[in-house]
Amino acid sequence: MDRRLSQLTDWVRAHAGLADAEPAPVAGDASFRRYFRVRDTDGQPRIVMDAPPGKESTSEFLAVARHWRAEGVRVPAIIDADEPQGLILLEDFGDRLLLDELTPDNADRHYSDALNSLCAIQQTTEPAGYPLPPYDEALLDREMNLFRDWLLTEHLGLALTDQDHCLLDTTFNFLRESALAQPQAPVHRDYHSRNLLITDAPDDPGIIDFQDAVMGPVTYDLVSLVKDCYIAWPEERVSGWIEQFRQQSRDAGLHAADADTFRQWTELMGMQRHLKASGIFARLYRRDGKDRYLADIPRTVNYLRQASERQPALRHFHDWLTDRVIPALTGEPDPS
């Protein structure tokens, strides 16, 4: 038993009903956080989050969790927390990830539930004592540069020319300005099928992994959901969900955009998201030795190809992506 797990076990067993608890690992996310399931003497499950101090912070998670739950968002209840030790005891939503439950027949129902929950998140006020950080220019740029630094250079080994860098800079500037011009709302930042859990409760889904929440573009979480890096849907279904949320969020007073404007926001926001995600997937493999996300890179880059093809202002980026990046990703010879 590692020292950290021993510390976690001692802490859990000090709680009523958990004196004999045996923490069992639960699949976690891409960070240093770990998760364990414990059961009390009645067999009731709980989740323990292990966020090692110095590598992960718990204050953001606790602030957002307590506030969003108080405002009706279905995030796990905090049973107990020890911030100095980086340990949190949580309500257990189970293991039924939305990703594993989705079928063509039930997708509309599950996505409607998820869009309802997203609209509720966007209507929350800011947590007292913890104003959500802004999704500002610096953060948007830092995320997009993950594509350049980790996917293109480190993973694919592309030797980028000055012209390539200029093209990327121009593209990033265009996407950044679109994101900053959108109405702002609370943003989960990883609102997708691996962070939504099905419990068969009336207010499904259960929502996890929200500690990086910010104030940002109104379409960011929407595109994370409907253009998910882990599952792709036909264009007509995606378009329907986007329009459904446009009307829902407009009726909630979050924006006043018409259908064309909102779709343009969503397309460009999706490109920023997928530049970031493809870079993160490459970094997880190259830096952290985690290869489980490699299979998701082609899907994520294909979203970039599809979205840029619909943008006249990004024609040069689209051609470059199609002619230079995608062949390198698929192992095809460089046509140049």
Side-chain angles (χ1 to χ4, degrees):
M1 182 183 293
D2 64 63
R3 184 188 65 81
R4 185 74 187 160
L5 180 55
S6 177
Q7 180 182 356
L8 177 150
T9 302
D10 290 343
W11 181 75
V12 168
R13 289 178 176 175
H15 292 80
L18 292 169
D20 299 317
E22 294 289 346
V26 176
D29 52 33
S31 70
F32 290 104
R33 288 182 297 272
R34 295 189 299 176
Y35 298 87
F36 299 87
R37 176 169 286 116
V38 295
R39 295 185 183 275
D40 62 21
T41 51
D42 295 325
Q44 184 71 25
R46 300 284 184 259
I47 292 293
V48 189
M49 178 196 292
D50 171 22
K55 293 184 177 179
E56 297 287 342
S57 170
T58 58
S59 59
E60 296 86 355
F61 179 92
L62 291 169
V64 175
R66 287 166 173 154
H67 185 69
W68 281 7
R69 188 173 178 87
E71 297 211 348
V73 177
R74 191 155 187 253
V75 296
I78 307 296
I79 298 168
D80 194 14
D82 186 325
E83 288 195 59
Q85 290 195 80
L87 299 171
I88 306 176
L89 187 62
L90 297 161
E91 177 184 5
D92 188 355
F93 283 157
D95 293 316
R96 295 173 58 196
L97 296 181
L98 175 60
L99 178 63
D100 300 331
E101 302 276 327
L102 286 167
T103 69
D105 291 334
N106 69 24
D108 285 333
R109 173 170 56 84
H110 284 312
Y111 275 75
S112 290
D113 289 344
L115 293 174
N116 289 340
S117 294
L118 175 55
C119 198
I121 288 173
Q122 293 193 341
Q123 294 178 83
T124 59
T125 59
E126 289 202 278
Y130 179 68
L132 294 178
Y135 215 149
D136 58 15
E137 178 177 338
L139 181 54
L140 290 162
D141 284 347
R142 188 161 65 247
E143 290 181 342
M144 287 187 286
N145 274 308
L146 294 169
F147 175 80
R148 183 192 334 238
D149 297 340
W150 286 97
L151 182 67
L152 302 182
T153 304
E154 292 292 332
H155 186 57
L156 298 180
L158 296 180
L160 300 179
T161 65
D162 289 344
Q163 186 176 6
D164 294 334
H165 285 295
C166 183
L167 176 63
L168 287 169
D169 289 342
T170 300
T171 302
F172 294 175
N173 290 342
F174 185 74
L175 298 176
R176 182 201 329 116
E177 293 308 310
S178 173
L180 293 174
Q182 289 188 36
Q184 305 290 289
V187 173
H188 177 293
R189 254 179 107 196
D190 272 309
Y191 197 79
H192 55 67
S193 60
R194 285 183 174 168
N195 285 332
L196 301 175
L197 290 153
I198 304 303
T199 66
D200 290 331
D203 54 350
D204 261 346
I207 302 165
I208 60 173
D209 204 22
F210 43 79
Q211 62 280 339
D212 294 324
V214 293
M215 284 294 292
V218 70
T219 63
Y220 188 92
D221 284 339
L222 169 65
V223 80
S224 299
L225 178 69
V226 302
K227 294 191 178 186
D228 195 324
C229 295
Y230 308 114
I231 187 170
W233 295 97
E235 170 62 26
E236 60 270 19
R237 300 198 82 164
V238 172
S239 295
W241 294 327
I242 291 172
E243 176 59 15
Q244 176 182 337
F245 188 73
R246 180 191 75 86
Q247 295 182 27
Q248 186 175 7
S249 52
R250 181 200 59 193
D251 292 347
L254 295 165
H255 64 85
D258 60 27
D260 289 342
T261 299
F262 194 81
R263 182 59 192 254
Q264 176 76 347
W265 288 348
T266 306
E267 290 290 298
L268 297 180
M269 193 73 256
M271 289 188 65
Q272 192 277 344
R273 163 81 180 174
H274 295 127
L275 288 166
K276 163 192 171 180
S278 60
I280 288 176
F281 293 159
R283 185 177 67 183
L284 285 167
Y285 175 60
R286 291 292 173 179
R287 187 190 69 183
D288 303 330
K290 299 178 179 180
D291 61 4
R292 62 176 290 197
Y293 300 95
L294 284 178
D296 301 310
I297 293 177
R299 182 185 306 107
T300 305
V301 172
N302 191 51
Y303 283 131
L304 288 169
R305 181 192 64 77
Q306 292 172 337
S308 60
E309 187 175 25
R310 292 190 279 263
Q311 301 295 324
L314 298 178
R315 179 175 59 84
H316 294 301
F317 173 80
H318 171 78
D319 292 344
W320 176 82
L321 183 76
T322 302
D323 296 341
R324 185 98 187 276
V325 179
I326 292 177
L329 188 62
T330 59
E332 298 175 5
D334 188 335
S336 63

